[in-house]
Amino acid sequence: MASGTVRRWALVAVSLLNFAFVFISGADFIRFISFRAIYDNITGDTTLCQDSIPWSVALRDSSVLGSLAVDLGLLALFITQHSVLAWAPVKKALQSGLGALNRTAYCFSTVVALQILMRYWQPVIDAPCLWSVRHAPWSVWFPLLCFSLHFLCWAIICSILMLFDYPELLGLKQVYYECLGLGDPLSHKSLGAQRLLSHFRHPVCLELGVVLWLLPALSLDRLLLAGTLSSYLALAHSLDKQDLAYLCVQLNSKLQVFAEPHHGSTNTSDPKEK
């Protein structure tokens, strides 16, 4: 009995520490990918590019090519980690070895790879920008517009993650259900929800696309980052007509709940989670 209690408290402690690590790293990622680039463009504190350097010269510059090689390696590390650990045989092996901490370990390793990418990312400043808004009044107004849209996109992303069962995505729910002896949280969801989640674990593709590409100035390293992550997001999911039909049914049911007055506390929904 005592060993079981200690084990449960250990699982809770590990999952909560991982949640804090993911939350802090998420704030770092927002700063790295969004607001830092816009802030530097507004203040001019950092030189993002050198438009006076011809492309023919920049693409032969060893410092430019070296920075791009490092950045490409960091992106390859992140994508490899994210893909290998999501591969069915690896997931099965980790599930048998880690149990309820499987999702926690996946999130932890993902955030470690992301932290490495952010810490060692090499900006390319000795090359022209693909575009740069520098003429008044747009040199002031366009960065502010970008900031507003980025803020809106991040607010939508956070809202969607909450609706998409954020505790389950981060492994908290798996530990909670394990402590209560309820098994895997996915087994309590409907078959349609299980199928959807197996095909689509990143429900924020459009908003991330806006954040990646909508900037006052697009440097060469940012092009590499935005192009690689956009391609990966586009290829990572495998939604089909059955998934889309399930989403439409769920959306219509939620709209009906909000449209109709609530009568009593009678619950006629399916006992399984949607």
Side-chain angles (χ1 to χ4, degrees):
M1 179 67 69
S3 61
T5 302
V6 171
R7 178 179 177 273
R8 285 193 291 270
W9 278 110
L11 289 175
V12 171
V14 170
S15 63
L16 289 177
L17 287 173
N18 179 72
F19 174 80
F21 183 42
V22 172
F23 183 84
I24 294 171
S25 299
D28 287 342
F29 181 66
I30 293 174
R31 177 183 57 84
F32 168 78
I33 204 172
S34 188
F35 297 131
R36 186 177 66 177
I38 298 174
Y39 176 80
D40 290 341
N41 190 275
I42 293 175
T43 61
D45 290 343
T46 302
T47 302
L48 297 176
C49 50
Q50 297 287 345
D51 290 337
S52 60
I53 300 177
W55 280 105
S56 58
V57 174
L59 294 178
R60 291 198 300 265
D61 190 331
S62 59
S63 64
V64 171
L65 297 178
S67 296
L68 290 176
V70 171
D71 294 342
L72 187 60
L74 293 171
L75 287 168
L77 171 66
F78 175 75
I79 291 175
T80 300
Q81 176 277 328
H82 218 56
S83 301
V84 170
L85 267 67
W87 189 33
V90 176
K91 287 176 64 176
K92 186 177 180 180
L94 291 176
Q95 182 65 40
S96 62
L98 297 175
L101 291 178
N102 178 32
R103 186 67 189 178
T104 298
Y106 177 82
C107 293
F108 178 79
S109 59
T110 297
V111 170
V112 168
L114 191 60
Q115 284 284 0
I116 293 173
L117 184 148
M118 293 187 293
R119 292 293 179 267
Y120 295 99
W121 187 262
Q122 300 292 313
V124 177
I125 59 176
D126 294 325
C129 282
L130 277 80
W131 69 70
S132 180
V133 180
R134 297 185 178 180
H135 300 290
W138 290 108
S139 59
V140 175
W141 288 109
F142 191 67
L144 291 176
L145 175 63
C146 291
F147 178 87
S148 301
L149 290 176
H150 279 227
F151 184 87
L152 176 62
C153 286
W154 286 117
I156 294 173
I157 288 172
C158 292
S159 301
I160 292 175
L161 289 177
M162 292 297 179
L163 293 174
F164 238 71
D165 203 350
Y166 188 70
E168 191 270 331
L169 289 175
L170 289 184
L172 290 173
K173 201 170 186 178
Q174 285 84 340
V175 171
Y176 176 71
Y177 273 45
E178 174 72 15
C179 293
L180 295 180
L182 298 176
D184 187 357
L186 282 177
S187 65
H188 294 265
K189 296 182 181 292
S190 66
L191 293 178
Q194 293 182 36
R195 189 177 190 277
L196 174 66
L197 290 175
S198 68
H199 292 168
F200 193 48
R201 279 296 214 182
H202 301 84
V204 290
C205 294
L206 177 60
E207 294 81 7
L208 274 179
V210 173
V211 167
L212 287 169
W213 290 99
L214 184 63
L215 287 172
L218 189 74
S219 60
L220 199 55
D221 64 289
R222 182 60 178 226
L223 174 67
L224 178 65
L225 177 69
T228 303
L229 292 184
S230 297
S231 300
Y232 181 69
L233 285 171
L235 297 173
H237 71 80
S238 54
L239 287 179
D240 54 23
K241 292 183 179 180
Q242 188 173 342
D243 294 320
L244 293 176
Y246 171 80
L247 283 173
C248 290
V249 170
Q250 294 302 310
L251 177 61
N252 289 332
S253 65
K254 296 297 186 295
L255 291 176
Q256 289 177 3
V257 169
F258 286 111
E260 296 176 357
H262 184 67
H263 297 292
S265 57
T266 304
N267 184 8
T268 59
S269 61
D270 188 86
K272 287 192 173 184
E273 296 182 27
K274 298 297 185 183

